[in-house]
Amino acid sequence: MRSWSAPKISSLPGAGLPLRLYDTSAREARETSPGATARIYVCGITPYDATHLGHANTYLAFDLVNRVWLDAGHDVHFTQNATDVDDPLLERAEQIGIDWRDLAEREIELFRTDMEALRVLPPRNYVGVTEVVGQVAELIGRLKDKGATYEVDDDVYFSVAASPKFGAVSGYSEERMLELFAERGGDPGREGKRHPLDWLLWRAERPGEPAWPSAFGPGRPGWHVECTTIALSCLGSGFDVSGGGSDLIFPHHEMGASEGHVATGEWPFAKAYVHAGMVGLDGEKMSKSRGNLVFVSRLRGDHDPMAVRLALLAHHYRSDWEWTGDQIASAADRLARWRSAVELPAGPDGRAVLQQVRERLADDLDAPGALAAVDAWAARAAGGEATDPDAPALVRAAADALLGVAL
Ligand code: 5CA
Ligand code: ZN
C-alpha cells in the first residue's frame, strides 16, 4: 500500500551515537547493534477511527529511533502494518453503515496526513493485512507442518504447548497473561481449546463477514499472525526492534514472537522489544473503545503541528501520562522561543548543543532531556550570548534531523 511522503532531513556534522533502548524482553536498557541496515517493525493502526494522541505518541517514539539510527550512519528499513480487517473495524463499519473497506481506506488516508503533518518518517513497507492474506495462510501452513496448530470447529488455533519460548517477551505470570488475554481480544474461555492461552490463527468465515480462500477453508487472519507474517516477509527474523505501545507486550508481541520462532526455528524473532507508555485522558487510557480521544487531526487544525510534536516529545516515551489542554500552549511557547533563537545572527556554541541532543536521545530516547538542552541554548541566545555565528543554523538542523521539529 502507499506509504506517506518523507520530510527532507537536514544533514549534520560528525556522527551520531549508538542507541540504547529499554528492551522489554531483556528487562533492561541495552545498546542496539544494527548492521549497515537497521531493521524495525512498528505495529500500525487498526483504521476504524482517526489517529489520537496516544497513537501519535507511540509513532513519534519510533520515529526518534529511526532518526537516531540514520544519524549514526545506518540505512533504516522500517516496516509497518495496518490492521485493515479485524472485528472492531467490521463492527464500526456496520454501526455507521459504510463498507468496512471504505472505512479502512478513509482512516488510513487520514493517518497518512497526520503522520506527514507530524513529520514522521514513512515506512519503506506500509502493508495492509488484506494485501497479504495469502502469505498469512502460508505461514499458518508452516505452523501446521510443525504440529503447532489444531482446529476448533473450523477455526485454526496455535497451541501454546508447541512454543518453548512462550513468556520470554513479557515475562508475565500465567495469571496475568490470562487476565490480559481476556481484556485484549483473546478467548481464554472458549470450549474445545486445549489450553486457555491458545490463540486464533485463522477465523473461519462467518455469515456476513469478509473471507478469503485458504488451505483451511475460507476465512480471515487472526490478529497476531498478521504482524508475524509481514515482519518475516519484509525484514526476516532477527530484526533489530519490534515496537508498539505497552498494551502490545501481551498478548500481541508475545504471541507473535512464538509464531515466528516456531515457523522459522530461529530465535530471537526480534532482537529487542520496545514499548511506549500509554497516554491517558481523565484517568483512563486513551482508546477508541472508550471514546476518550483527542484526535491529532483536530489538534493540528487549531495549532502548529510542530507544537503538537513538541507537546508529545516533552514526555519520556516509556512513561504513562495524561493529556491536559495546557500542554499544547506550553509547547507552542517553546516552539516560539526556539524559532526566535534560530533567527538570531549568532548564539552560544552550536556543536555543544548538538552533542547534548545526540547524547540524550541515544540514552533510551531521553527526548525531554534533549528538549531541555535546546531550551537552555535558546535562553542563552535570547540573553545575548553570541559567540558562534554558525550556531543558529546548526541548532535548526539538529532540531529538524534528530527531533523532527521544523523551526
Ligand atoms: N493494529 C494493532 C497493532 S498490530 C493496534 O494495536 N492498533 S491500534 O490502533 O489500537 O494502536 C496503534 C498503536 O498505538 C499501537 O502501537 C498501540 O500500542 C498504540 N496505542 C494505542 N492506544 C494508545 C495510547 N492510549 N497511548 C499510547 N499508545 C497507544
Ligand atoms: Zn502488530
Side-chain angles (χ1 to χ4, degrees), residues 63-81:
D63 188 53
L64 295 181
V65 172
N66 198 339
R67 289 168 182 276
V68 172
W69 275 341
L70 287 172
D71 184 45
H74 300 282
D75 170 39
V76 180
H77 188 162
F78 168 26
T79 297
Q80 181 162 115
N81 70 310

Side-chain angles (χ1 to χ4, degrees), residues 41 43 81 223 227 248 252-253:
Y41 184 91
C43 282
N81 70 310
W223 175 26
C227 286
L248 299 186
H252 189 52
H253 288 167

Side-chain angles (χ1 to χ4, degrees), residues 21-32:
L21 285 175
Y22 186 88
D23 173 6
T24 301
S25 64
R27 296 174 244 300
E28 64 179 12
R30 289 192 170 167
E31 195 166 297
T32 58

Side-chain angles (χ1 to χ4, degrees), residues 41-49 52-59 62 81-84 86 111 129 223-224 226-227 243-249 252-253 275-281 284-288 292-293 320-321:
Y41 184 91
V42 181
C43 282
I45 55 164
T46 304
Y48 67 90
D49 213 339
H52 60 65
L53 283 178
H55 301 135
N57 189 60
T58 291
Y59 297 125
F62 295 100
N81 70 310
T83 307
D84 61 356
D86 200 8
F111 176 70
V129 177
W223 175 26
H224 319 302
E226 74 184 57
C227 286
S246 58
D247 58 341
L248 299 186
I249 297 172
H252 189 52
H253 288 167
H275 295 103
M278 288 292 114
V279 180
L281 185 72
E284 296 226 61
K285 171 189 157 187
M286 206 179 274
S287 77
K288 289 178 269 209
N292 59 340
L293 305 176
D320 296 328
W321 54 276

